[in-house]
Amino acid sequence: MKFQTLISQRSREKTLGIIAGLSVMVSAASMLGFYIISQERIEKVEQQRIVIDSKNNPFFASIEVGLSEDRRRAQIKEAIRMAYRYVFAFDEGSFYDNLEMGSYLFPQYAQLLKDRYNDQNTYSNLKSFGIRSKVYVDDIELGYSEGKFMAIVTARQEVIRANSSTMRNINTHFEIKDVSVHELNPFGLHFVNVKEDDFSEIIDDK
């Protein structure tokens, strides 16, 4: 009787041990499955960046080559318009902030313009005479030249004074490069090797 009791007790202990082992295995499998799913989601997010559609609504899209070329081009054009607004459209209050933000898209050109504006006493003129400027991007062409992805931009800058305004061309072309996405450059783009094609004043014949 005692032997049977001992056998039953050991049998129960063995059964409990098996159940405990199975519980640990199931728990470990669940954790491994969760980890794998999490890693897949992280990798998927890392392969996405913000895209702007034709109505200027942002959404995430894959950056795999050729997957959404039209949307990527729309994003690039919006980034160019934004960069132009930063470095060519400002007033006394937004002058330095705009140039700072512009440097995240135009890393070299924004500094060149900043030096030029300083030489021309642009900020003092903005402050003294209440001058402000606007920019109008009329056309953006994207394409390849000598193996480089390029943009050709046709635009105008309007300089507005108290009783008058003047307009000039600000036409450029430059190389487009993909860079890491971050908070101050959500497009993940740099515009480099900027060439100024036409910065002449537009004469109103009227």
Side-chain angles (χ1 to χ4, degrees), residues 1-55:
M1 190 71 177
K2 291 182 179 179
F3 181 78
Q4 291 295 330
T5 301
L6 180 61
I7 293 297
S8 298
Q9 182 178 350
R10 288 183 177 178
S11 179
R12 286 195 299 272
E13 289 174 353
K14 185 176 180 180
T15 301
L16 290 173
I18 292 171
I19 292 173
L22 288 173
S23 298
V24 171
M25 291 175 64
V26 170
S27 177
S30 298
M31 292 178 65
L32 178 60
F34 177 77
Y35 174 78
I36 292 172
I37 293 171
S38 298
Q39 287 299 112
E40 289 177 349
R41 290 181 177 178
I42 290 171
E43 290 177 1
K44 185 176 180 181
V45 170
E46 288 178 345
Q47 293 177 355
Q48 293 179 329
R49 62 175 44 149
I50 297 173
V51 170
I52 306 295
D53 65 15
S54 59
K55 296 182 179 179

Side-chain angles (χ1 to χ4, degrees), residues 68-86:
S68 54
E69 183 178 355
D70 290 342
R71 289 174 178 173
R72 180 60 172 158
R73 283 175 173 261
Q75 179 192 19
I76 292 170
K77 289 185 177 182
E78 179 60 24
I80 291 171
R81 293 186 187 96
M82 179 180 291
Y84 254 64
R85 289 194 295 270
Y86 282 141

Side-chain angles (χ1 to χ4, degrees), residues 1-197:
M1 190 71 177
K2 291 182 179 179
F3 181 78
Q4 291 295 330
T5 301
L6 180 61
I7 293 297
S8 298
Q9 182 178 350
R10 288 183 177 178
S11 179
R12 286 195 299 272
E13 289 174 353
K14 185 176 180 180
T15 301
L16 290 173
I18 292 171
I19 292 173
L22 288 173
S23 298
V24 171
M25 291 175 64
V26 170
S27 177
S30 298
M31 292 178 65
L32 178 60
F34 177 77
Y35 174 78
I36 292 172
I37 293 171
S38 298
Q39 287 299 112
E40 289 177 349
R41 290 181 177 178
I42 290 171
E43 290 177 1
K44 185 176 180 181
V45 170
E46 288 178 345
Q47 293 177 355
Q48 293 179 329
R49 62 175 44 149
I50 297 173
V51 170
I52 306 295
D53 65 15
S54 59
K55 296 182 179 179
N56 290 331
N57 296 316
F59 60 92
F60 282 98
S62 172
I63 61 173
E64 293 180 12
V65 177
L67 185 61
S68 54
E69 183 178 355
D70 290 342
R71 289 174 178 173
R72 180 60 172 158
R73 283 175 173 261
Q75 179 192 19
I76 292 170
K77 289 185 177 182
E78 179 60 24
I80 291 171
R81 293 186 187 96
M82 179 180 291
Y84 254 64
R85 289 194 295 270
Y86 282 141
V87 299
F88 292 117
F90 40 72
D91 56 19
E92 175 192 347
S94 61
F95 179 72
Y96 287 111
D97 288 341
N98 278 16
L99 289 177
E100 176 68 20
M101 293 301 298
S103 68
Y104 292 102
L105 290 166
F106 280 129
Q108 296 118 11
Y109 189 54
Q111 183 59 50
L112 183 150
L113 288 174
K114 185 176 180 179
D115 293 341
R116 183 184 297 171
Y117 292 149
N118 286 337
D119 291 341
Q120 297 171 347
N121 296 318
T122 299
Y123 179 74
S124 295
N125 291 331
L126 293 173
K127 188 175 182 179
S128 300
F129 303 107
I131 297 172
R132 58 191 175 91
S133 60
K134 293 183 178 180
V135 68
Y136 308 92
V137 178
D138 299 314
D139 186 57
I140 300 172
E141 295 181 31
L142 303 177
Y144 286 90
S145 176
E146 299 179 352
K148 298 177 181 179
F149 193 42
M150 307 287 293
I152 301 175
V153 182
T154 302
R156 294 164 293 139
Q157 181 189 44
E158 183 181 15
V159 178
I160 304 169
R161 298 172 178 82
N163 299 315
S164 64
S165 66
T166 57
M167 190 85 72
R168 67 166 178 162
N169 296 302
I170 43 174
N171 302 335
T172 64
H173 70 275
F174 45 82
E175 185 179 350
I176 301 168
K177 289 189 174 183
D178 284 313
V179 297
S180 298
V181 174
H182 61 82
E183 182 179 358
L184 296 175
N185 188 348
F187 298 101
L189 293 166
H190 273 175
F191 307 132
V192 299
N193 301 322
V194 179
K195 306 297 181 185
E196 297 178 344
D197 299 321

